[in-house]
Amino acid sequence: VNQCLTEAATRGIAMVPKLAVDVTSCEVMRVLQLTDSFIVPVSYSVPRKSGQDFHGDLYPDTPGDSPALPAEEWWSGGNKQVQKVSLDPAKRPIRSFSSAVIPCSVGGVKLEPTNQPTKKELPIEKNRKEEDASGQSSSSSLLTSPTTPSSLVQSPSTPSEPSSSLGTSCSQRSLQSILGPSSKLRHTQSLVLHRDTHITNLKGLNLTTPGECDGFCVNSKRVAVPLASAGGQIAVLELSQPGRLPDSAIPTIQNGVAVADFSWDPFEPRRLAVAGEDAKIRVWLVPEGGLKETVSEPQCILQGHTEKIYSLKFHPLASGIIASSSYDLTVRLWDLGSGREVRVLQGHQDQIFSLAWSPDGQFLATVSKDRKVRIYDPRKSAEPTQVQEPRACGACQRSGVWGPGFRQKDCLVLYHETCLIAGFQSVSLEEPPPSCLSDCFLCLQAFSFLPKSECDVREVEFAKALRLSKTSIEPVVFRAPRVRKEYFQDDLFPETAVWWEPALSASAWLSRSNGQHRKISLQPKGMTPVSEAPKEAPVRKYAPSSVYLEEKSDEQKKEELLSAMVAKLGNREDPLPQESFEGVDDDEW
C-alpha cells in the first residue's frame, strides 16, 4: 500500500495506538522507528481536506483503553470484549479523575506526582470541550491520559508542523534525576602533544604482564615500564627528558624475577614497589635525576606471602602503608618504614582479581573469581565486614566497585560500600563514550592519568595522561573548548586534594587515626575567575532583518549603482600615468 524510505537503519518499530492519531489532519496511522540514536515518528495521512469535519469513513470505532472485565471475573470464567469508542472528538467520552496516583520509586529515586488536579474534571478535558465548541480539536487530548502528570507532557506541535517532540516518559525523568544535569565536559577535545614531548625508540616492551597489572605506572616525574628481558628488568624514564632513546641498552632496575605488578609510592616519587612471581615485594629507590646505571640491590624486601602476588596498592592517605594480594588467598598490609607485615586479611575462597582502597583510607575492597565483593575494615578485623555476589566487577578507588550491566555493554553498575547487602543499582549509559576518548585508546598497550596539578589550566586542560604504545610513550591532554580562555575556568577546576602529600603517618593510621588531604586552588596568579569576569554585551553577528527587507525605490537603486560605478572608475580628472613619463623630441621620431 505504501513505502517509506527512512534516513537511518531500523533497530525496531512499533505502531502507536489508534487513539493517539491526529484525526483533524486525516492521520490514519503513526509508527515510531527506533534507530541507533533516535526515535523517529512516521505519520501516514490520507489526502483529504482537513479542518472541522470528521471523516467517519476513515475512522471506524476502535477498541478503547478501558478494561473489559476485572481479573477476578476472568478467573471465574467470564469473557467480554473491550468496548469500542469513537474517534470523533465531539463524541469522545470525558473521563473522570477517580483513580488515586500511587507514588513510585525508580532507580532508588522516589517519584512524587506534581501539580495533580483535585477536581473531577481535568484541565485537559476542560480545554477539549472549549476547543470542540469553537470547532477545533487539540491533539494533546489524544496523547495524554488522566494519570499523566502535567510536568511529564510536552506541548505537541500543531498539525501544520512536523511532530518532532515526544512526551518525556517517567523512566527518562527518573534517569535524569539519577545522572544529574548534562556534563560541562560533553564537548571535550583530546590532543596528543607534539612529538618533541614523546619518549620514542622504546624497545623490548613486555607484552605478557598479568591481567591484574596496570602495564606501566607513572607519577608526576617518571614512568616505569616492564621489559621483556630476562631477570624482570624495569625501565625508569624521566618525563623531564623526552626524546629518542639510544639504540644501545639503557639503565634498568634488575628485579631478579618476572614482574607481577608494580606501583609508585604516591608520597615519594622515587620509591617503586615491585611484586615478583617469587612471592616477594622488592622496594626500589631511584636516584635523583634518574637511573644512570643498572640497579640490582633493592632498598628492602618484604616476605610473607607463600605464593605468587597478584597486585599492589599504596594507601591513599597514610605514608608507607601498602596492601598486596596473592595466590595464597590472603591480603597483607605492610609498613615500609619498619619493613614488617602488620595485617593479614582472610576470607577469600578463590583467586583475587582486583584490590582497592576507599578514598578515605578506612576500607579495603576486593573482587575475586568466585564473583564476590568483599569489604574489609582492616584495622578492626581480619575477616570481611560485607560479602556480596554481584555480576562480574572490579574494585576502584572511588565510592564503591564497578561492573558491567545486564547486557555487558554500555552499562555501568555502581555498588556503594555501605549498602552492598541491601542491593544494587545500575545506570545504563545513554550515549557512547566521546570520540575524544575512543581516539586516544587506539593502538596502545596501557593508559595512565597524571595528577591534576600537571594540567595546563590556562589552556583549559582538565586531564592529562600518558599513552603507552609498543615503541613510544606519548602525553595526551583533554581540553574543554571555552571562548574566554583568558579567565580561570573555576567551574571546571574546583579545589583539588593534595593527594601527593601524606595526611598522616603509618603509625597514626595503624592506631586508628583518620585524616584527609588538604586542598589547593589551581588558579594561576594574575588570572581572574570566569565567574567574576565582567558580563559582555551580546554582539550581533548579522545585520537586522530590516536592513535586508527594506524596500528601495528605483531612483535609490539607480543612484547606488551609479555611485558604485564611479567609485570603481575613479576620478577622471586625475592625470593618466603615462602623462608623467618623459618621451623623446619630435625630430627624433
Side-chain angles (χ1 to χ4, degrees):
V1 177
N2 186 279
Q3 294 182 357
C4 177
L5 182 62
T6 59
E7 297 182 359
T10 301
R11 302 304 181 191
I13 197 166
M15 189 162 60
V16 173
K18 202 77 170 181
L19 295 173
V21 299
D22 186 5
V23 298
T24 61
S25 61
C26 298
E27 182 185 32
V28 295
M29 186 176 68
R30 188 185 307 164
V31 172
L32 297 183
Q33 177 204 16
L34 175 65
T35 67
D36 290 331
S37 306
F38 304 98
I39 296 178
V40 184
V42 182
S43 178
Y44 295 83
S45 301
V46 175
R48 295 275 183 96
K49 183 179 180 181
S50 60
Q52 301 178 2
D53 297 333
F54 174 72
H55 300 273
D57 58 328
L58 297 181
Y59 303 102
D61 292 349
T62 185
D65 55 1
S66 300
L69 69 167
E72 295 79 5
E73 185 176 344
W74 181 84
W75 278 109
S76 61
N79 291 309
K80 289 184 181 179
Q81 297 292 330
V82 176
Q83 183 181 2
K84 292 188 176 182
V85 297
S86 173
L87 294 180
D88 188 351
K91 299 179 181 180
R92 291 289 301 277
I94 299 176
R95 300 177 58 184
S96 61
F97 188 75
S98 58
S99 59
V101 179
I102 303 175
C104 61
S105 177
V106 180
V109 178
K110 188 176 182 182
L111 302 179
E112 297 288 350
T114 58
N115 300 328
Q116 290 289 355
T118 56
K119 296 183 179 180
K120 291 291 184 179
E121 183 178 327
L122 288 177
I124 296 175
E125 305 297 343
K126 182 178 180 181
N127 294 337
R128 181 192 301 169
K129 292 198 299 182
E130 295 175 353
E131 292 169 355
D132 290 344
S134 63
Q136 297 179 353
S137 173
S138 171
S139 61
S140 63
S141 61
L142 304 179
L143 295 175
T144 59
S145 64
T147 57
T148 304
S150 59
S151 62
L152 300 186
V153 180
Q154 298 179 353
S155 300
S157 57
T158 61
S160 61
E161 297 174 351
S163 177
S164 60
S165 61
L166 299 176
T168 305
S169 66
C170 183
S171 60
Q172 289 173 332
R173 292 276 300 202
S174 62
L175 184 59
Q176 291 173 1
S177 62
I178 294 172
L179 297 180
S182 299
S183 172
K184 298 184 180 69
L185 306 178
R186 61 185 181 275
H187 300 302
T188 56
Q189 302 170 347
S190 63
L191 175 67
V192 179
L193 296 185
H194 193 269
R195 188 176 177 84
D196 291 345
T197 63
H198 299 184
I199 298 176
T200 59
N201 198 31
L202 182 62
K203 298 181 179 180
L205 182 65
N206 187 359
L207 303 179
T208 60
T209 53
E212 296 80 15
C213 180
D214 291 335
F216 81 136
C217 59
V218 303
N219 58 27
S220 59
K221 297 185 178 297
R222 49 189 60 89
V223 55
V225 183
L227 302 179
S229 306
Q233 296 188 43
I234 301 174
V236 178
L237 308 173
E238 300 295 312
L239 296 179
S240 59
Q241 302 174 10
R244 179 182 174 87
L245 296 176
D247 293 329
S248 57
I250 59 176
T252 60
I253 290 178
Q254 192 79 30
N255 193 59
V257 295
V259 176
D261 195 16
F262 55 128
S263 178
W264 289 108
D265 188 334
F267 312 124
E268 173 50 79
R270 297 191 300 136
R271 184 155 59 185
L272 180 68
V274 181
E277 294 187 353
D278 59 351
K280 297 179 181 179
I281 300 174
R282 293 169 174 83
V283 181
W284 304 86
L285 195 64
V286 178
E288 288 288 350
L291 293 180
K292 304 301 181 183
E293 57 184 3
T294 298
V295 179
S296 57
E297 291 295 329
Q299 185 184 31
C300 66
I301 299 178
L302 307 177
Q303 301 186 50
H305 286 293
T306 58
E307 295 189 40
K308 175 185 173 181
I309 297 175
Y310 286 119
S311 57
L312 297 174
K313 297 293 180 183
F314 274 94
H315 195 279
L317 294 173
S319 62
I321 295 292
I322 190 172
S324 62
S325 60
S326 168
Y327 269 92
D328 59 14
L329 306 184
T330 65
V331 176
R332 299 173 187 259
L333 304 185
W334 310 85
D335 181 5
L336 298 185
S338 61
R340 62 184 181 91
E341 176 187 294
V342 293
R343 293 286 189 278
V344 179
L345 306 182
Q346 308 286 346
H348 292 91
Q349 306 297 326
D350 211 332
Q351 177 182 354
I352 304 171
F353 279 150
S354 186
L355 171 72
W357 290 96
S358 63
D360 58 8
Q362 300 184 36
F363 302 98
L364 193 66
T366 65
V367 176
S368 57
K369 192 177 180 179
D370 59 5
R371 304 173 64 87
K372 291 183 179 180
V373 177
R374 292 171 173 85
I375 304 295
Y376 291 87
D377 188 345
R379 294 177 294 182
K380 285 186 178 180
S381 173
E383 297 295 328
T385 58
Q386 295 188 49
V387 180
Q388 189 54 267
E389 186 175 354
R391 292 175 294 279
C393 58
C396 62
Q397 288 186 333
R398 294 295 181 266
S399 60
V401 294
W402 63 269
F406 294 103
R407 295 188 179 91
Q408 307 292 320
K409 180 182 179 182
D410 291 344
C411 189
L412 182 69
V413 187
L414 305 180
Y415 307 90
H416 199 280
E417 73 272 12
T418 59
C419 59
L420 282 176
I421 302 300
F424 310 101
Q425 301 294 338
S426 64
V427 178
S428 297
L429 300 182
E430 288 187 299
E431 58 185 23
S435 60
C436 68
L437 294 181
S438 58
D439 293 343
C440 291
F441 288 93
L442 296 175
C443 303
L444 59 83
Q445 301 299 318
F447 200 87
S448 183
F449 283 91
L450 293 170
K452 193 86 170 185
S453 58
E454 298 300 312
C455 299
D456 185 359
V457 297
R458 295 183 182 272
E459 294 295 331
V460 201
E461 289 178 5
F462 61 90
K464 186 175 183 179
L466 292 180
R467 182 174 69 176
L468 174 67
S469 66
K470 291 183 179 180
T471 58
S472 65
I473 298 174
E474 305 163 356
V476 181
V477 296
F478 298 87
R479 296 172 178 172
R482 290 294 175 92
V483 177
R484 310 177 72 182
K485 294 170 62 175
E486 66 273 14
Y487 295 100
F488 174 66
Q489 310 295 320
D490 50 349
D491 60 328
L492 294 183
F493 300 101
E495 288 190 339
T496 300
V498 187
W499 57 266
W500 51 91
E501 295 180 0
L504 66 166
S505 62
S507 58
W509 182 81
L510 292 173
S511 61
R512 306 187 61 78
S513 296
N514 295 316
Q516 59 182 0
H517 291 299
R518 67 182 181 91
K519 293 185 176 182
I520 60 172
S521 173
L522 297 179
Q523 178 180 350
K525 293 182 179 180
M527 286 193 74
T528 303
V530 70
S531 59
E532 302 176 5
K535 302 296 182 181
E536 293 183 349
V539 179
R540 186 185 294 273
K541 295 183 178 179
Y542 305 100
S545 58
S546 59
V547 175
Y548 302 101
L549 299 179
E550 182 182 5
E551 295 185 1
K552 300 180 180 179
S553 64
D554 294 340
E555 293 296 330
Q556 289 177 326
K557 294 179 181 178
K558 186 183 297 184
E559 185 68 26
E560 290 181 358
L561 181 60
L562 289 175
S563 299
M565 294 175 61
V566 170
K568 200 169 188 179
L569 293 175
N571 190 353
R572 293 177 177 245
E573 297 179 357
D574 294 338
L576 296 176
Q578 57 267 33
E579 294 181 1
S580 61
F581 296 160
E582 294 184 0
V584 297
D585 295 335
D586 292 339
D587 57 356
E588 293 184 6
W589 282 99

